């Protein structure tokens, strides 16, 4: 067992802020105090740096097969990139096929994830729910897959009707699990898609136009109403607009256990990305789409005021050009038809950068708030706290030294994600991780990867109720 002493840093949790030393024994935090005079195998000087809990990205899609393409990061490249940006845990989505069982999906995803360099949990995407599969949901909760994602969009692959959604919600309410909703009205979106294609409107700028914000707000309202009726806590993923966010805020004001996440792409990017109609817009084709700039400030405010609780990435990268690192055609599949562009954007590496710059540097957030939305809230909501999401005696030693003097320029030329563009290309961040520890091991130091393929562990998660 290796011991490490992180000395003299400003230790920040969601609630505390003090200059302290952190002593790590093996993979756990053993002691926190001032001027600890303990022998350690390694002493790390953290003077003038923030010492924060490793980030938790509770929404990623590594190696996700969306039909025509597979997302370009696998669990090794994607988790390496995550760690470089200060994220030491991801929760990915095992995705049930229309004809398969949930356990078959879990087995497939756990096999893919064996190469992860950081710890990972799994949610379950439910794509088909005959009554005969309901007991699987109970079993999965006992096995540590305590959250289920359901879709009101993507009619061909994933959308469920309201009755099936309600059935899944009821069961999840009974077994103590948590429901996550992809809330967009798939049928109305389908109407717009058909209309645009019939009119010969095939360029990427028709992607956002086919998914107006009312399709998201309506579905968000409906999902929350169904969850309230079913008696289950609900978490709306990838909230892109103020209108969907306001549905969550109103529900919470009524005392409904509704929660929401937004993503870096909705906080830092705007609709102009698509506006010229060029194929460059394909870089930003994700669902829900990136909205008008006027949505950004309400989303930042919602995070500051706890109307939204977490920032996750929905990391689902696809390359713009065929052949990058030997990968097949991906975004280019939609050159002639925007509906064939694989949906998703990269972000797992830059989530902490974007929230730090936009929240702490530009909007004066406390570091506590930064830690809350990037680490502690996801840990609590998804049954990982206090093992993850804080710096406390007994917690995993997932620790990031965040150096506020270490400027970082985001670029595809230097990022670790396996994708040939970065949506935040050229953005300067006034601070970045200088050292990243995952369960006590240094896995990044000054942009150098020191970890090992396969050293991440699968995390069985607790239930929402436990929290
Ligand atoms: O465009 C997106 N969001 N792709 C990933 C799958 C999903 O809906 O979360
Ligand atoms: Zn989704
Ligand atoms: Zn997603």
């Amino acid at each position: 067992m290796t011991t490490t002493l992180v000395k003299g840093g400003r230790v920040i949790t969601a609630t505390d802020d003090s200059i302290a030393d952190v002593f790590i024994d093996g993979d756990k935090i053993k002691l926190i105090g001032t001027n600890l005079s303990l022998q350690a195998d390694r002493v790390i000087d953290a003077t003038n740096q923030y010492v924060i809990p490793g980030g938790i990205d509770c929404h990623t899609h590594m190696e996700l097969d969306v039909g025509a393409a597979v997302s370009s990061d696998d669990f090794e490249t994607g988790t390496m990139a995550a760690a470089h940006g200060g994220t030491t845990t991801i929760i990915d989505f095992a995705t049930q096929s229309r004809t398969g069982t949930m356990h078959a999906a879990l087995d497939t995803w756990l096999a893919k994830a064996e190469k992860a360099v950081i710890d990972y949990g799994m949610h379950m995407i439910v794509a088909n729910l005959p009554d005969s599969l309901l007991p699987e949901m109970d079993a999965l909760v006992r096995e540590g897959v305590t959250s289920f994602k359901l879709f009101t969009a993507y009619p061909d692959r994933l959308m469920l009707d309201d009755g099936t959604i309600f059935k899944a919600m009821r069961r999840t309410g009974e077994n103590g699990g948590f429901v996550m909703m992809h809330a967009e009205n798939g049928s109305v979106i389908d109407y717009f898609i058909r209309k645009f294609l019939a009119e010969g409107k095939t360029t990427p700028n028709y992607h956002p136009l086919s998914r107006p914000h009312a399709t998201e707000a309506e579905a968000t309202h409906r999902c929350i109403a169904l969850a309230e009726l079913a008696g289950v806590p609900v978490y709306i993923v990838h909230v892109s607009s103020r209108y969907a966010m306001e549905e969550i805020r109103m529900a919470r004001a009524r005392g409904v256990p509704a929660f929401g996440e937004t993503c870096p792409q909705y906080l830092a990017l705007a609709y102009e990305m698509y506006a010229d109609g060029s194929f460059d817009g394909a870089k930003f084709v994700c669902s829900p789409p990136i909205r008008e700039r006027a949505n950004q400030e309400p989303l930042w405010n919602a995070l500051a005021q706890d109307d939204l609780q977490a920032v996750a990435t929905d990391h689902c990268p696809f390359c713009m050009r065929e052949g990058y690192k030997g990968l097949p055609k991906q975004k280019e599949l939609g050159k002639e038809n925007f509906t064939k562009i694989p949906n998703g954007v990269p972000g797992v590496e830059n989530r902490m950068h974007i929230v730090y710059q936009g929240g702490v540097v530009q909007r004066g957030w406390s570091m506590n708030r930064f830690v809350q939305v990037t680490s502690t809230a996801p840990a609590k909501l998804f049954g990982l706290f206090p093992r993850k999401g804080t710096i406390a005696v007994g917690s995993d030693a997932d620790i990031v030294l965040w150096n506020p003097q270490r400027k970082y320029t985001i670029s595809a030329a230097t990022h670790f994600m396996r994708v040939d563009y970065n949506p935040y290309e050229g953005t300067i961040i006034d601070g970045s991780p200088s050292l990243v520890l995952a369960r006590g091991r240094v896995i990044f130091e000054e942009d150098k990867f020191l970890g090992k393929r396969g050293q991440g562990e699968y995390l069985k998660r607790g239930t929402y109720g436990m929290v």
Side-chain angles (χ1 to χ4, degrees):
M1 294 272 263
T2 309
T3 53
T4 307
L5 185 60
V6 180
K7 275 197 83 63
R10 189 167 154 194
V11 179
I12 314 267
T13 68
T15 50
D16 301 309
D17 181 343
S18 64
I19 304 290
D21 302 340
V22 181
F23 182 71
I24 298 162
D25 191 0
D27 57 2
K28 300 280 184 204
I29 296 169
K30 254 293 175 23
L31 197 62
I32 303 169
T34 44
N35 300 319
L36 295 180
S37 52
L38 291 168
Q39 294 295 321
D41 299 318
R42 180 167 185 187
V43 178
I44 296 168
D45 180 9
T47 312
N48 297 326
Q49 302 203 50
Y50 298 117
V51 177
I52 59 173
I56 300 176
D57 189 342
C58 58
H59 187 159
T60 64
H61 300 283
M62 306 302 172
E63 261 179 277
L64 174 67
D65 187 344
V66 294
V70 178
S71 59
S72 59
D73 264 321
D74 63 21
F75 276 84
E76 183 179 10
T77 60
T79 55
M80 198 189 288
H84 179 240
T87 289
T88 52
T89 301
I90 60 165
I91 313 181
D92 209 270
F93 291 82
T95 305
Q96 183 199 16
S97 75
R98 284 279 204 213
T99 51
T101 66
M102 290 173 241
H103 276 97
L106 183 61
D107 290 347
T108 304
W109 253 263
L110 290 180
K112 293 186 203 197
E114 275 176 4
K115 47 192 178 294
V117 308
I118 58 172
D119 291 353
Y120 53 92
M122 292 289 168
H123 312 285
M124 177 61 61
I125 288 178
V126 182
N128 179 34
L129 192 61
D131 288 352
S132 58
L133 293 190
L134 280 168
E136 272 210 286
M137 297 186 89
D138 311 335
L140 283 166
V141 170
R142 290 194 297 272
E143 293 158 19
V145 180
T146 53
S147 39
F148 299 90
K149 184 180 179 192
L150 314 171
F151 285 73
T152 60
Y154 302 131
D156 300 340
R157 289 189 300 116
L158 297 164
M159 185 167 124
L160 300 175
D161 62 74
D162 289 351
T164 306
I165 289 172
F166 188 69
K167 179 167 71 169
M169 285 178 163
R170 278 292 272 230
R171 193 68 168 216
T172 308
E174 284 160 14
N175 64 30
F178 199 21
V179 166
M180 308 169 79
M181 291 300 315
H182 177 128
E184 291 185 291
N185 187 319
S187 308
V188 173
I189 289 166
D190 222 35
Y191 169 89
F192 282 114
I193 286 175
R194 285 170 203 276
K195 175 180 178 307
F196 288 140
L197 293 183
E199 291 166 359
K201 295 171 174 166
T202 58
T203 46
N205 52 321
Y206 287 98
H207 172 74
L209 295 174
S210 65
R211 308 179 96 93
H213 62 70
T215 60
E216 184 187 9
E218 179 280 325
T220 302
H221 180 92
R222 180 166 29 115
C223 292
I224 293 172
L226 295 176
E228 187 178 3
L229 193 59
V232 70
V234 64
Y235 177 92
I236 309 295
V237 297
H238 46 49
V239 173
S240 70
S241 82
R242 66 179 301 170
Y243 306 98
M245 178 274 289
E246 278 161 7
E247 295 293 340
I248 299 168
R249 179 164 63 196
M250 285 189 289
R252 289 174 64 78
R254 286 190 293 117
V256 177
F259 305 89
E261 80 183 12
T262 188
C263 311
Q265 56 269 32
Y266 306 122
L267 293 165
L269 304 175
Y271 174 78
E272 294 96 270
M273 305 292 182
Y274 309 105
D276 68 0
S278 73
F279 194 67
D280 214 49
K283 288 178 179 168
F284 309 98
V285 165
C286 57
S287 295
I290 289 156
R291 306 291 184 187
E292 288 77 8
R293 193 169 292 279
N295 289 277
Q296 289 179 356
E297 221 43 52
L299 293 178
W300 282 107
N301 284 337
L303 285 168
Q305 292 161 13
D306 219 41
D307 295 327
L308 294 176
Q309 287 66 46
V311 180
T313 56
D314 195 9
H315 177 75
C316 194
F318 296 99
C319 293
M320 284 294 282
R321 287 179 314 278
E322 184 175 0
Y324 177 76
K325 300 209 169 163
L327 291 164
K329 199 182 268 193
Q330 299 193 320
K331 291 281 187 188
E332 286 168 320
L333 291 165
K335 265 247 143 96
E336 310 302 328
N337 177 342
F338 72 90
T339 69
K340 304 260 188 280
I341 300 169
N343 277 211
V345 291
V348 76
E349 190 166 355
N350 303 122
R351 179 182 69 112
M352 307 278 282
H353 295 131
I354 297 292
V355 180
Y356 179 78
Q357 188 68 17
V360 177
V361 176
Q362 293 171 345
R363 290 174 180 79
W365 284 15
S366 68
M367 281 298 286
N368 306 99
R369 194 69 202 155
F370 172 58
V371 167
Q372 170 75 14
V373 303
T374 57
S375 181
T376 312
K380 288 187 172 180
L381 287 163
F382 293 106
L384 292 172
F385 189 84
R387 177 172 174 190
K388 307 282 189 190
T390 194
I391 295 183
V393 173
S395 294
D396 281 358
D398 293 347
I399 293 178
V400 174
L401 268 61
W402 191 282
N403 186 345
Q405 310 302 328
R406 192 166 189 267
K407 269 195 197 297
Y408 178 73
T409 304
I410 298 177
S411 175
T414 51
H415 72 198
F416 283 76
M417 297 182 287
R418 188 163 63 186
V419 62
D420 60 352
Y421 74 99
N422 191 305
Y424 313 101
E425 186 69 36
T427 304
I428 296 170
I429 311 298
D430 296 306
S432 62
S434 64
L435 189 125
V436 179
L437 289 146
R439 269 188 295 102
R441 298 188 200 150
V442 175
I443 58 166
F444 261 101
E445 189 165 6
E446 305 282 340
D447 305 317
K448 191 168 168 17
F449 179 62
L450 300 172
K452 265 205 332 254
R453 173 186 164 101
Q455 76 185 28
E457 276 180 8
Y458 173 56
L459 300 165
K460 292 188 174 181
R461 295 179 294 111
T463 56
Y464 170 82
M466 249 174 65
V467 174

